[in-house]
Amino acid sequence: MEPTGITPNLHVPDIAAARDFYTGYLGLSVEDFDMGWVARYRSPDGRAQIQLVTHDATAPELAAVSVRVGAGVDLAYADAVRHGYEIVHPLTDEPWGLRRFLVRAPDGNVLNIVSHRDD
């Protein structure tokens, strides 16, 4: 696997209520998207970003981080299965344009391994 980006996913009860802290105080002033249940904010220079998540629309658990792997998502999935890692959410083409799966690391953290349409 060759990650091209890793984004922390913070569980929040209400994105709108949390937005001011992350945009106003931390200065993450660019909203990349807001789907109601997940929103991503980044710094104007693109060097820092974070996702605020209330729940996952299709997976049974929230991921601690999202790992972008581009076209390598299918190979990453096969490698996770080969290693015997727990697949929390199967390889799926999501309606919002991602191909992804969720895997549990041996330490218990859940990772969202993802490919975007523009990868």
Side-chain angles (χ1 to χ4, degrees), residues 21-67:
F21 177 83
Y22 293 97
T23 59
Y25 178 67
L26 287 185
L28 301 176
S29 58
V30 178
E31 182 178 85
D32 283 339
F33 63 84
D34 184 345
M35 297 174 64
W37 58 273
V38 59
R40 183 170 56 226
Y41 302 94
R42 64 179 169 84
S43 60
D45 65 7
R47 293 175 36 181
Q49 64 181 359
I50 198 164
Q51 290 187 151
L52 306 180
V53 186
T54 60
H55 67 283
D56 193 296
T58 61
E61 292 187 45
L62 287 178
V65 297
S66 292
V67 181

